[in-house]
Amino acid sequence: MNFKCQISNVKCQNGFTFIELILYISIVTIMLTTIVPFGWSAITSSVKSSVQQEVYTQARFVSERIKQEIRRASGITSVGSTSISLTNFSPDTTTVIDLSSQKIRINKNGTGPVNLNSDDTNVTTLEFSNYTSLDNKTKHIGFRLGVTSNYSGQRREYIESIELRASAEVRSN
């Protein structure tokens, strides 16, 4: 339909005036400048959350695995600053846990080392301390573990680290 109107010799035209066009563009611009940063913030916080979850999960897993191996051992062979050697009951005879190239490795029975932490994380600190009693009745090992995300860039949302302290006692005493 094509409407033409004349009211007392004034023509009505369909469409937007220049002022209306500027007003609509301003409203759309204001909406976009508030929505886009909010969306970007949601994306970066999601990335930060997943990086934190990876680092914290790996630190917790490695810590629990070290404690489990110490508790299962029948004795402590040696404790170094970044490694521990344990003697075990049959069928496993030895367990060695050490730090090499920012990876915590476990080697059971000399079958070859296996990395405990993922490639997405680096272990920055692994320190063992021997708290065995003088009479050798309680064999207790403490350790400090530092884990960081494996990202070499400068973006803050990809950088995370955690340091844990824990200890375990050989239960065969």
Side-chain angles (χ1 to χ4, degrees), residues 58-59 61-66 82-84 96-107 113-118 121-128 143-147:
Q58 288 296 308
F61 170 75
V62 169
S63 173
E64 290 299 320
R65 181 66 188 265
I66 291 171
T82 60
S83 67
I84 185 171
V96 176
I97 300 170
D98 64 352
L99 177 64
S100 175
S101 301
Q102 297 185 324
K103 300 293 178 197
I104 291 185
R105 304 179 312 168
I106 186 168
N107 188 348
V114 176
N115 290 340
L116 291 181
N117 59 307
S118 71
T121 58
N122 289 329
V123 176
T124 56
T125 307
L126 179 64
E127 295 175 358
F128 289 103
F143 61 92
R144 188 168 68 106
L145 173 68
V147 179

Side-chain angles (χ1 to χ4, degrees), residues 57-107:
T57 301
Q58 288 296 308
R60 185 173 51 247
F61 170 75
V62 169
S63 173
E64 290 299 320
R65 181 66 188 265
I66 291 171
K67 289 191 288 187
Q68 178 186 30
E69 294 298 331
I70 293 170
R71 289 176 184 145
R72 286 184 178 176
S74 61
I76 300 169
T77 307
S78 67
V79 177
S81 61
T82 60
S83 67
I84 185 171
S85 180
L86 306 168
T87 55
N88 298 327
F89 296 109
S90 186
D92 296 330
T93 55
T94 61
T95 300
V96 176
I97 300 170
D98 64 352
L99 177 64
S100 175
S101 301
Q102 297 185 324
K103 300 293 178 197
I104 291 185
R105 304 179 312 168
I106 186 168
N107 188 348

Side-chain angles (χ1 to χ4, degrees), residues 3-144:
F3 292 108
K4 291 184 179 178
C5 66
Q6 277 190 330
I7 303 174
S8 56
N9 291 335
V10 177
K11 286 188 177 180
C12 294
Q13 296 179 0
N14 294 332
F16 297 110
T17 66
F18 184 67
I19 301 284
E20 289 175 324
L21 186 63
I22 290 175
L23 180 67
Y24 294 141
I25 289 174
S26 298
I27 291 171
V28 169
T29 304
I30 289 170
M31 289 176 57
L32 285 177
T33 57
T34 57
I35 291 173
V36 169
F38 176 74
W40 190 253
S41 174
I43 290 170
T44 57
S45 65
S46 173
V47 168
K48 179 71 173 173
S49 176
S50 64
V51 170
Q52 284 177 338
Q53 187 175 11
E54 176 70 20
V55 170
Y56 297 166
T57 301
Q58 288 296 308
R60 185 173 51 247
F61 170 75
V62 169
S63 173
E64 290 299 320
R65 181 66 188 265
I66 291 171
K67 289 191 288 187
Q68 178 186 30
E69 294 298 331
I70 293 170
R71 289 176 184 145
R72 286 184 178 176
S74 61
I76 300 169
T77 307
S78 67
V79 177
S81 61
T82 60
S83 67
I84 185 171
S85 180
L86 306 168
T87 55
N88 298 327
F89 296 109
S90 186
D92 296 330
T93 55
T94 61
T95 300
V96 176
I97 300 170
D98 64 352
L99 177 64
S100 175
S101 301
Q102 297 185 324
K103 300 293 178 197
I104 291 185
R105 304 179 312 168
I106 186 168
N107 188 348
K108 287 188 158 277
N109 300 326
T111 58
V114 176
N115 290 340
L116 291 181
N117 59 307
S118 71
D119 290 335
D120 294 332
T121 58
N122 289 329
V123 176
T124 56
T125 307
L126 179 64
E127 295 175 358
F128 289 103
S129 301
N130 191 350
Y131 298 121
T132 301
S133 65
L134 293 175
D135 60 1
N136 218 20
K137 288 186 178 180
T138 57
K139 299 172 186 169
H140 195 89
I141 302 295
F143 61 92
R144 188 168 68 106

